[in-house]
Amino acid sequence: MTCNRRTVLAAAFLAAFTFNTPVFAAKPLVIGFSQVGAESEWRTANTVSIKDAAKKDGITLKFADAQQKQENQVKAIRSFIAQRVDLIAFSPVVESGWDTVLREAKAAKIPVILTDRAVNVSDPSLYATFIGSDFVEEGRRAGRWLLERAKKTPDTIINIVELQGTVGSAPALDRKKGFEEVIAGNPKLKVIRSQTGDFTRAKGKEVMEAFLKAEGKKINVLYAHNDDMAIGAIQAIEEAGLKPGKDIVVISIDGVKGAFEAMIAGKLNVTVECSPLLGPQLMQLARDVVANKPVPKRVVTQEGVFPAEVAAKEFPNRKY
Ligand code: GZL
């Protein structure tokens, strides 16, 4: 090495040492994130949380919206592999059909984190960790609220219609399972219709219109797997000349602002919280996984239940 190159290098180290700046600044972490879509208020808040947390943490986020199609998520994950990102994170739109693409990520030595929803894979080593809610417990909480309310009318048959989430998705399967498990404790509680509303307001309204046409005033309770479908159904109930929250009790899940506004208006009776604010925890988990630090295989988000009675008081505290 020539004399003047040695001098320049020495000066660079000296400058770095003096100003305490890293001579070779670590390159920012690059995460590829495949999002389900933009189907609900919950999803929008989840996307904001993830993007804001990445920005705040100086992480480069490559974000892909799958418009609720699994094939788009598979394409996005393959693109992230080709781009050699440091880590892949995604919210799987449905539980099954991920083994092949996750094996490709593993072969490329790119770790994967599941957020929000789980997958059904033969080999759990295909992902590093899963951060999200316990959807079965959310369904149980909805069922327990109704079981408690039904104690006031012990001899009355209560007919329930159910708006399920996206077919094959973990929240739809598990919220149905948890709710049924709890209401089995009271034979007067009967689910007379159950159909997917795909987690959207439009579809929730459309299916509720069909339920009302078929069952009319026989319907006592609506159990919706998310607030967006409940809000759509509330419009259908009003257009049928009935009072949501009174003629038909409305139970839903997520705890988005729209649900609190509906409860304050007396049109929704209870929402079971499902927090979308996973961004900060996801970024920390990603850093730990890339640094080969031990992480739990399952990180469960903490959540509550908000009946209409507390909606006005709680509303100012809501972050999504
Ligand atoms: C739950 C999430 C669900 C929400 C819906 O964690 O996957 O998807 O309950 C959203 O609002 O569409």
Side-chain angles (χ1 to χ4, degrees):
M1 186 185 293
T2 60
C3 176
N4 62 345
R5 271 177 65 80
R6 244 200 323 270
T7 317
V8 167
L9 206 55
F13 272 103
L14 182 65
F17 181 76
T18 315
F19 300 107
N20 192 25
T21 48
V23 177
F24 303 106
K27 98 177 166 57
L29 200 61
V30 179
I31 295 177
F33 188 89
S34 168
Q35 180 60 291
V36 165
E39 72 281 2
S40 62
E41 274 188 63
W42 189 98
R43 188 63 56 197
T44 305
N46 180 244
T47 293
V48 167
S49 173
I50 288 162
K51 286 184 174 176
D52 286 358
K55 192 168 176 212
K56 190 161 170 250
D57 211 6
I59 287 173
T60 301
L61 187 74
K62 294 177 179 291
F63 184 91
D65 175 332
Q67 295 168 333
Q68 289 189 279
K69 291 183 175 57
Q70 181 172 29
E71 63 265 27
N72 290 343
Q73 290 202 288
V74 171
K75 272 188 213 141
I77 292 169
R78 286 192 167 128
S79 165
F80 297 146
I81 293 170
Q83 295 175 67
R84 303 291 318 147
V85 297
D86 297 307
L87 179 133
I88 292 168
F90 75 116
S91 172
V93 62
V94 291
E95 277 194 344
S96 56
W98 302 102
D99 292 76
T100 303
V101 73
L102 292 183
R103 276 198 212 102
E104 291 167 19
K106 185 173 181 179
K109 296 190 178 11
I110 299 176
V112 173
I113 291 180
L114 302 179
T115 82
D116 166 27
R117 298 182 182 180
V119 294
N120 238 334
V121 289
S122 51
D123 173 3
S125 77
L126 291 175
Y127 62 89
T129 182
F130 162 38
I131 172 174
S133 306
D134 178 343
F135 301 131
V136 177
E137 181 54 25
E138 290 171 351
R140 291 192 193 105
R141 288 173 180 169
R144 287 187 202 116
W145 182 89
L146 182 56
L147 217 52
E148 201 49 38
R149 184 183 176 96
K151 284 178 183 167
K152 296 175 196 159
T153 56
D155 304 322
T156 311
I157 294 278
I158 294 178
N159 293 316
I160 304 160
V161 293
E162 180 182 25
L163 284 171
Q164 296 182 37
T166 302
V167 176
S169 69
L173 296 165
D174 291 354
R175 285 170 182 169
K176 182 170 179 49
K177 181 177 165 197
F179 184 76
E180 284 172 350
E181 176 191 300
V182 168
I183 67 165
N186 178 345
K188 300 282 186 194
L189 296 176
K190 297 184 182 307
V191 177
I192 59 171
R193 296 264 171 170
S194 181
Q195 194 178 325
T196 183
D198 208 17
F199 283 132
T200 68
R201 289 191 185 199
K203 196 80 178 134
K205 182 178 185 220
E206 182 189 313
V207 175
M208 190 66 199
E209 284 164 351
F211 286 163
L212 287 160
K213 203 166 172 191
E215 303 290 354
K217 292 195 171 145
K218 261 182 68 184
I219 301 170
N220 307 112
V221 174
L222 163 64
Y223 168 50
H225 289 187
N226 85 326
D227 294 334
D228 286 72
M229 293 190 293
I231 291 165
I234 284 167
Q235 288 169 6
I237 294 167
E238 290 180 312
E239 288 171 9
L242 297 170
K243 290 189 179 65
K246 296 170 185 61
D247 299 330
I248 295 179
V249 169
V250 182
I251 303 169
S252 75
I253 298 178
D254 276 351
V256 297
K257 283 194 177 119
F260 280 81
E261 287 158 347
M263 287 195 285
I264 292 165
K267 299 179 180 178
L268 190 141
N269 300 84
V270 60
T271 184
V272 174
E273 188 179 35
C274 173
S275 177
L277 308 178
L278 305 177
Q281 273 185 292
L282 171 60
M283 297 311 146
Q284 186 53 57
L285 278 169
R287 286 197 179 283
D288 291 346
V289 168
V290 170
N292 287 315
K293 288 181 185 169
V295 295
K297 194 70 181 174
R298 179 76 173 89
V299 178
V300 182
T301 37
Q302 303 308 313
E303 295 149 349
V305 179
F306 296 94
E309 299 76 25
V310 305
K313 183 166 171 286
E314 171 65 20
F315 188 60
N317 306 327
R318 302 305 297 166
K319 296 187 179 68
Y320 64 92

